Amino acid sequence: MSIDHSESGEMKGKSKMKKKGNKHIKGVLFCPAFSSIRVSKEIRVFYDRVAKGRNGRAATLAVCRKVLTLIYTLWKNDTSYDPNYITKGATSCPS
């Protein structure tokens, strides 16, 4: 999923979501996105903020991207998910 920026000289248009990317991955990530919207308070706030300016499907795709980024980061750093990581601060995490 990529975002198309519309600019010409001084005029800056509204960004639009392009219909690119692997449709199978998008389809597989929809269920975890819906679950995380329902369960996670932080992701629900993010979803509501994005959905206010756009439609619900675009907001769900934004949550899919956020969940995919989270999964990749956890995998890359070889860590487990901690839902209280942000609230307790990065300095208080055990090494």
Side-chain angles (χ1 to χ4, degrees):
M1 156 179 41
S2 65
I3 297 178
D4 185 24
H5 298 286
S6 178
E7 293 183 19
S8 176
E10 297 290 322
M11 193 276 303
K12 291 190 179 186
K14 192 173 185 181
S15 298
K16 297 178 186 175
M17 197 172 297
K18 290 173 123 179
K19 293 182 180 180
K20 282 189 165 184
N22 190 325
K23 65 182 177 180
H24 301 292
I25 293 175
K26 285 182 188 179
V28 168
L29 286 175
F30 247 68
C31 285
F34 281 128
S35 296
S36 61
I37 289 167
R38 192 180 68 235
V39 174
S40 174
K41 188 174 105 176
E42 291 85 13
I43 292 184
R44 181 62 193 201
V45 169
F46 173 74
Y47 173 81
D48 290 338
R49 181 174 54 87
V50 174
K52 190 186 330 181
R54 298 180 181 147
N55 61 13
R57 185 174 174 91
T60 306
L61 281 175
V63 171
C64 287
R65 182 182 172 116
K66 185 176 267 305
V67 168
L68 184 62
T69 304
L70 176 65
I71 291 169
Y72 177 74
T73 303
L74 292 173
W75 173 73
K76 186 176 178 184
N77 296 329
D78 195 25
T79 58
S80 59
Y81 178 69
D82 181 11
N84 298 320
Y85 179 76
I86 294 173
T87 57
K88 68 182 179 183
T91 57
S92 64
C93 289
S95 298

